Amino acid sequence: METFLDFYQREVHLAFREDPFSKAPMHVWVICRHQGQWLLTKHKKRGLEFPGGKVEEGEQPLDAACREVFEETGAKVKTIHYIGQYTIPTEKICKNIYLAEIDFIEAQPNYLETDGPVLVSELPDQVEEDEHYSFIMKDGVLRYCLQYINKTNIE
Ligand code: GTP
């Protein structure tokens, strides 16, 4: 398990195994790839981030992940894999993390609280210092996930 502080100095625990903190996480976060690029959404307040959100009543986290990707970017998921989970105990937040390959992106009339899809070839090396990016991209969650994805070579 990895433990570190987030952008706002709150403790975060992260682990790359099945349900390390909760069997019923209330949030999902989806690292999306499309044709060799990263697919982000532009949150109206927070800025660029991978899509995600709350699991609805009676919904499975995996279904919530695909729904949130679509609602925030108009993208249809081709393949999706659970990779891990993180928790911020002070906020009572627990999120499943997924890696998804996007099939196609279809323009939508609106994208809920976001301005829709943004494709980037590379994520900034110093994302912590980039004002365009959301705080949720600025802690060990993204850093460790990218290392994990590189190491395990999941599609
Ligand atoms: P909405 O209810 O969707 O408007 O969101 P909220 O920000 O009011 O509540 P949420 O339950 O999403 O988050 C609760 C707290 O946890 C807030 O202070 C968030 O800033 C923080 N938080 C949520 N998601 C993350 C995350 O992925 N990483 C970090 N570090 N903090 C998060």
Side-chain angles (χ1 to χ4, degrees):
M1 180 178 82
E2 309 288 351
T3 296
F4 47 85
L5 298 179
D6 77 358
F7 188 72
Y8 296 113
Q9 305 299 305
R10 295 176 291 214
E11 200 167 275
V12 183
H13 304 289
L14 163 72
F16 296 103
R17 54 195 160 78
E18 203 65 36
D19 304 335
F21 310 111
S22 169
K23 284 197 184 313
M26 295 306 291
H27 291 80
V28 292
W29 193 58
V30 192
I31 297 175
C32 296
R33 295 194 291 204
H34 183 51
Q35 297 176 344
Q37 293 189 295
W38 302 105
L39 173 66
L40 304 164
T41 186
K42 190 173 175 204
H43 190 279
K44 284 188 198 295
K45 293 195 190 129
R46 297 194 294 260
L48 296 171
E49 61 189 31
F50 285 116
K54 290 199 174 83
V55 178
E56 289 175 357
E57 187 89 27
E59 190 178 38
Q60 291 303 309
L62 185 74
D63 296 330
C66 296
R67 176 182 53 73
E68 289 284 354
V69 168
F70 180 73
E71 287 177 357
E72 296 190 342
T73 68
K76 283 286 184 191
V77 167
K78 182 156 68 186
T79 58
I80 184 162
H81 299 280
Y82 169 89
I83 60 173
Q85 196 180 67
Y86 65 102
T87 180
I88 303 144
T90 55
E91 308 299 316
K92 296 192 168 57
I93 286 264
C94 183
K95 291 194 185 188
N96 271 4
I97 309 166
Y98 299 89
L99 177 64
E101 182 65 39
I102 298 306
D103 198 0
F104 58 90
I105 305 171
E106 221 169 45
Q108 301 296 313
N110 73 75
Y111 300 94
L112 300 186
E113 68 272 34
T114 88
D115 288 330
V118 176
L119 285 163
V120 298
S121 314
E122 285 184 43
L123 295 166
D125 284 337
Q126 304 294 325
V127 69
E128 302 82 7
E129 283 152 36
D130 194 321
E131 63 190 21
H132 299 104
Y133 279 78
S134 161
F135 81 93
I136 74 169
M137 303 284 282
K138 296 183 176 176
D139 59 42
V141 172
L142 178 63
R143 201 169 58 245
Y144 286 118
C145 284
L146 294 178
Q147 282 173 14
Y148 179 83
I149 291 165
N150 276 336
K151 199 175 65 192
T152 51
N153 238 330
I154 26 181
E155 289 295 314

